[in-house]
Amino acid sequence: DSGVTQTPKHLITATGQRVTLRCSPRSGDLSVYWYQQSLDQGLQFLIQYYNGEERAKGNILERFSAQQFPDLHSELNLSSLELGDSALYFCASSGVGATTGELFFGEGSRLTVL
Amino acid sequence: AQSVAQPEDQVNVAEGNPLTVKCTYSVSGNPYLFWYVQYPNRGLQFLLKYITGDNLVKGSYGFEAEFNKSQTSFHLKKPSALVSDSALYFCAVRDSGTYKYIFGTGTRLKVLA
């Protein structure tokens, strides 16, 4: 158990809809990262937050947004969903001051868009 | 820009034989290098990392990796493969000047009994 919790584990929705994925980082970790893993593809970096502030941005679509709250949990909002958004979405966290540290991953949220 | 390449989609090895999973990287600053393993329907688990120091890094489950600066490589190795090592392996790099961790496309390791 990595200590990173993601909900929901599975989500099925229709095109055009909006969903919110939630992540609770390990206790004490200030950094949260979001990644997308599509079928037969590697992990695409979406966005990183550190202590509530956006720190780094990757290939995140404009239809997607994220935020980190004062209690350090994070939410990834996906709107106007398309079939191609079906993927496994991972959240990861890293420790305070661990600028060279490894990431700890949650079990992921599997999104299916029909 | 930083990037990671895992040139093999799949590696097959017989149980008991040594295994190597290849990774090359490109960064502008000093590289921080990582290996992760992913079992079906699970999140990624950290195996080992290279930040600085000894080029041979030892990690979990008997895995090790060798950092080669001149070849910009960080290959994952294990002296004797187990069937239970069969999984998807990801190499990742972080440039010391950024906060982004970039992952390779993954290599599926299949250990045959």
Side-chain angles (χ1 to χ4, degrees):
Chain A
D1 183 4
S2 67
V4 177
T5 303
Q6 288 187 248
T7 57
K9 291 192 187 317
H10 302 277
L11 191 56
I12 301 173
T13 189
T15 54
Q17 295 299 304
R18 172 189 170 96
V19 299
T20 297
L21 309 180
R22 181 188 169 104
C23 169
S24 294
R26 289 190 320 158
S27 178
D29 283 358
L30 298 182
S31 278
V32 169
Y33 297 75
W34 286 98
Y35 286 86
Q36 179 192 57
Q37 184 179 31
S38 300
L39 192 63
D40 294 331
Q41 290 195 15
L43 278 83
Q44 300 296 316
F45 170 67
L46 295 178
I47 199 164
Q48 181 215 355
Y49 281 83
Y50 178 81
N51 202 20
E53 299 291 326
E54 181 183 307
R55 178 172 265 186
K57 210 165 187 176
N59 301 322
I60 187 166
L61 299 172
E62 285 192 11
R63 300 183 286 109
F64 296 1
S65 65
Q67 58 184 126
Q68 185 179 28
F69 295 86
D71 67 353
L72 301 177
H73 91 271
S74 178
E75 292 181 357
L76 178 66
N77 299 298
L78 314 175
S79 61
S80 303
L81 285 169
E82 302 175 359
L83 296 178
D85 297 327
S86 295
L88 198 51
Y89 292 84
F90 285 108
C91 167
S93 72
S94 66
V96 175
T99 56
T100 60
E102 61 270 27
L103 299 180
F104 293 87
F105 282 81
E107 295 292 295
S109 292
R110 183 173 295 280
L111 173 65
T112 302
V113 182
L114 300 176
Chain B
Q2 40 183 130
S3 65
V4 175
Q6 293 183 243
E8 302 153 318
D9 289 336
Q10 181 160 321
V11 169
N12 295 327
V13 64
E15 188 176 29
N17 282 2
L19 69 87
T20 299
V21 182
K22 296 179 181 177
C23 171
T24 58
Y25 66 90
S26 174
V27 297
S28 55
N30 293 320
Y32 301 151
L33 294 156
F34 306 83
W35 276 102
Y36 288 82
V37 60
Q38 184 182 27
Y39 296 99
N41 301 312
R42 301 298 301 276
L44 278 72
Q45 297 176 35
F46 169 74
L47 282 178
L48 50 80
K49 66 181 176 183
Y50 171 84
I51 305 300
T52 186
D54 194 348
N55 290 344
L56 185 64
V57 178
K58 293 190 184 298
S60 306
Y61 312 120
F63 283 94
E64 57 190 29
E66 186 168 11
F67 171 64
N68 187 316
K69 188 173 182 178
S70 63
Q71 297 186 4
T72 61
S73 67
F74 189 57
H75 300 332
L76 181 70
K77 300 181 180 185
K78 187 174 183 181
S80 178
L82 300 172
V83 172
S84 57
D85 292 329
S86 298
L88 187 57
Y89 289 81
F90 288 96
C91 180
V93 66
R94 191 192 132 202
D95 190 315
S96 59
T98 78
Y99 297 101
K100 291 183 189 180
Y101 292 77
I102 302 300
F103 285 76
T105 52
T107 298
R108 192 165 299 280
L109 173 67
K110 193 168 183 180
V111 181
L112 307 169

